[in-house]
Amino acid sequence: MPNAGKSTFIRAVSAARPKVADYPFTTLHPNLGVVRVDENRSFVIADIPGLIEGASEGAGLGHQFLRHLQRTSVLLHLVDIAPFDPEVNPAHEAKAIVKELKKYDETLFRKPRWLLINKIDLVPEDEREKRIAALLKGYGKVDRHFVISAISGAGCREVTFALMDYLEQVRKGHAKANSAE
Ligand SMILES: Nc1nc2c(ncn2[C@@H]2O[C@H](COP(=O)(O)OP(=O)(O)OP(=O)(O)O)[C@@H](O)[C@H]2O)c(=O)[nH]1
Ligand SMILES: [Mg+2]
């Protein structure tokens, strides 16, 4: 979704410096960043414009860039766990995006997808467990999930290490980058 913190995340884990702002559709083009986990191990990450409901029919911008994701090994779905509007249900929003992805391209839908539950810093500590559980329940099946604060960097290194390990498995042929292949 727009405003979920995708550009903030790529800034946290790479040297890429895309614009970050508190309004939707800040990112208009994909940004690439190199994530270096140590001296000899790195991978490339792409930040794309946010998707919205109706994207597969042309609403918003994100669909124009989904084709750039065809060759990626894993998708990261950034979800804002603390939307500004308390009426907004993060699980509903997130599922709507997954539906768009499926409508747009089944093979993207079937790619490994990790859920990054972002903006945890905005949730009071005593509510975190409950809100995370509700999001996971509402979202449905997910390969892996991480709880992060892209703005403070909390939890972000764990994501990059897990990604690096996973990509090394993919490169060795031990894991599938795309279950449709
Ligand atoms: N409190 C808090 N704010 C965050 C976090 N991550 C991002 N933000 C804020 O959320 C707003 C949107 O962040 P962006 O990184 O621009 O979001 P985006 O997903 O790239 O948005 P689009 O490019 O419009 O699709 C900015 O005001 C960020 O500072 C976080 O972990 N915690
Ligand atoms: Mg952005």
Side-chain angles (χ1 to χ4, degrees):
M1 285 286 273
N3 229 30
K6 301 175 296 296
S7 300
T8 307
F9 179 72
I10 199 178
R11 287 173 72 106
V13 300
S14 78
R17 288 290 171 264
K19 184 172 168 188
V20 163
D22 65 353
Y23 52 82
F25 304 113
T26 303
T27 302
L28 302 175
H29 300 281
N31 298 293
L32 296 182
V34 175
V35 180
R36 192 163 295 287
V37 298
D38 62 40
E39 231 174 279
N40 310 309
R41 299 160 75 222
S42 66
F43 61 88
V44 174
I45 188 165
D47 166 33
I48 62 161
L51 282 183
I52 54 173
E53 229 173 322
S56 55
E57 282 97 45
L61 289 167
H63 68 290
Q64 298 172 31
F65 303 105
L66 286 176
R67 61 193 165 82
H68 291 272
L69 305 181
Q70 239 95 31
R71 287 172 52 82
T72 58
S73 302
V74 51
L75 301 179
L76 302 177
H77 187 175
L78 268 278
V79 174
D80 180 351
I81 184 103
F84 187 68
D85 178 353
E87 300 284 297
V88 170
N89 178 327
H92 289 175
E93 301 279 298
K95 276 176 76 167
I97 297 300
V98 174
K99 235 171 106 183
E100 284 304 325
L101 194 64
K102 187 171 184 189
K103 258 202 254 171
Y104 178 82
D105 186 338
E106 277 282 329
T107 59
L108 279 184
F109 170 75
R110 282 199 298 266
K111 270 188 193 287
R113 177 167 11 98
W114 296 4
L115 184 61
L116 302 195
I117 302 172
N118 190 31
K119 306 198 189 182
I120 197 65
D121 57 287
L122 295 179
V123 179
E125 259 175 60
D126 58 350
E127 281 180 36
R128 287 181 186 172
E129 205 177 321
K130 206 177 87 206
R131 302 241 313 244
I132 293 164
L135 173 55
L136 289 173
K137 187 159 178 255
Y139 189 85
K141 191 184 160 299
V142 64
D143 294 320
R144 290 189 72 165
H145 76 274
F146 295 83
V147 179
I148 65 165
S149 167
I151 210 161
S152 76
C156 294
R157 266 167 73 87
E158 287 81 350
V159 178
T160 62
F161 288 139
L163 282 168
M164 188 76 249
D165 287 344
Y166 180 75
L167 294 171
E168 282 169 349
Q169 294 300 312
V170 170
R171 288 171 193 171
K172 280 190 220 145
H174 293 163
K176 279 188 186 165
N178 189 335
S179 51
E181 280 169 4

